[in-house]
Amino acid sequence: QQPVQSPQAVILREGEDAVINCSSSKALYSVHWYRQKHGEAPVFLMILLKGGEQKGHEKISASFNEKKQQSSLYLTASQLSYSGTYFCGTEIEWGDSGYALNFGKGTSLLVTP
Amino acid sequence: SQTIHQWPATLVQPVGSPLSLECTVEGTSNPNLYWYRQAAGRGLQLLFYSVGIGQISSEVPQNLSASRPQDRQFILSSKKLLLSDSGFYLCAWSPGGVSPLHFGNGTRLTVT
């Protein structure tokens, strides 16, 4: 089942903040966040794990509410380079060997000067 | 370091023609491999994933198929393309467990 993202689109001025939400109808073990620039491949931003652990390499923060099956991505003091489409992904389990991700439809973020 | 190669970058094919898209990963062994499709307004749609040679799982019924003939090779095929097969096809890999997906540069397919 595809996670639901909101809002669908956001326009910001440089320096402003934004929050992107992701919700699922089923219990989650982890939530993944990716950003895609136009015409390019999605790039990994962050993984949030049940229990509060986070794995990421960019200065973007996120939260994961396990009980509500929701995650939020926080973009503070936005820069022009933050523009792109943000996707959250939730896992589809496949035995003990691994899993795949179901992605939401994405949130388009445009940061203007 | 690990790299993922996907080709071709763009492809224009007539309706009813066959399709073969190839993806290879270097610098790792036994990766999980994935095919996603991105159509306008539909986000990233999971098509197939594989945890090993010959092990393919399909998420969406369609006229596409996938094969994994070698550990680091993943192929997406179709015998007869439909107009609705147009889109941006992305191959991805992960080392397994809860870990990031690493995407290839994608193939933009236009079926005419």
Side-chain angles (χ1 to χ4, degrees):
Chain A
Q1 291 163 329
Q2 189 177 36
V4 177
Q5 288 185 236
S6 63
Q8 289 186 332
V10 183
I11 300 177
L12 299 174
R13 289 192 180 273
E14 205 171 1
E16 293 181 338
D17 302 338
V19 179
I20 300 172
N21 301 303
C22 175
S23 63
S24 174
S25 59
K26 69 182 187 81
L28 299 174
Y29 175 75
S30 66
V31 177
H32 299 228
W33 287 96
Y34 291 76
R35 177 172 62 207
Q36 184 181 30
K37 302 279 187 176
H38 182 68
E40 300 179 4
V43 173
F44 167 74
L45 294 177
M46 182 171 294
I47 295 176
L48 298 114
L49 302 174
K50 190 175 180 179
E53 184 181 355
Q54 297 186 18
K55 299 180 182 180
H57 61 74
E58 290 207 14
K59 295 180 181 178
I60 294 175
S61 62
S63 64
F64 180 21
N65 188 322
E66 302 157 23
K67 290 184 179 179
K68 292 186 177 181
Q69 296 158 194
Q70 294 176 345
S71 177
S72 295
L73 189 69
Y74 303 98
L75 304 162
T76 57
S78 59
Q79 305 170 17
L80 295 176
S81 61
Y82 285 8
S83 293
T85 302
Y86 290 78
F87 293 96
C88 71
T90 56
E91 73 276 11
I92 305 166
E93 290 185 10
W94 192 18
D96 297 326
S97 301
Y99 67 98
L101 290 180
N102 245 341
F103 287 96
K105 290 188 176 181
T107 296
S108 176
L109 179 75
L110 176 63
V111 181
T112 62
Chain B
S1 63
Q2 303 89 1
T3 56
I4 178 169
H5 302 280
Q6 191 180 341
W7 66 92
T10 59
L11 192 60
V12 180
Q13 293 282 98
V15 168
S17 65
L19 173 73
S20 181
L21 302 181
E22 190 164 340
C23 171
T24 59
V25 181
E26 296 178 355
T28 187
S29 60
N30 197 30
N32 289 350
L33 296 172
Y34 312 86
W35 279 111
Y36 284 88
R37 178 172 62 197
Q38 193 169 28
R42 295 194 63 182
L44 291 161
Q45 181 186 27
L46 176 64
L47 300 176
F48 300 95
Y49 55 105
S50 171
V51 296
I53 295 175
Q55 300 178 61
I56 310 290
S57 179
S58 173
E59 276 297 301
V60 181
Q62 60 228 324
N63 70 322
L64 300 172
S65 62
S67 62
R68 185 170 177 172
Q70 300 180 40
D71 181 42
R72 291 170 291 174
Q73 184 184 29
F74 206 23
I75 297 172
L76 183 70
S77 304
S78 174
K79 292 182 179 179
K80 289 185 178 181
L81 284 169
L82 307 172
L83 286 174
S84 57
D85 291 325
S86 293
F88 191 42
Y89 288 80
L90 290 155
C91 180
W93 76 274
S94 77
V98 183
S99 54
L101 267 60
H102 304 277
F103 288 88
N105 289 331
T107 295
R108 191 161 301 280
L109 172 67
T110 303
V111 182
T112 61

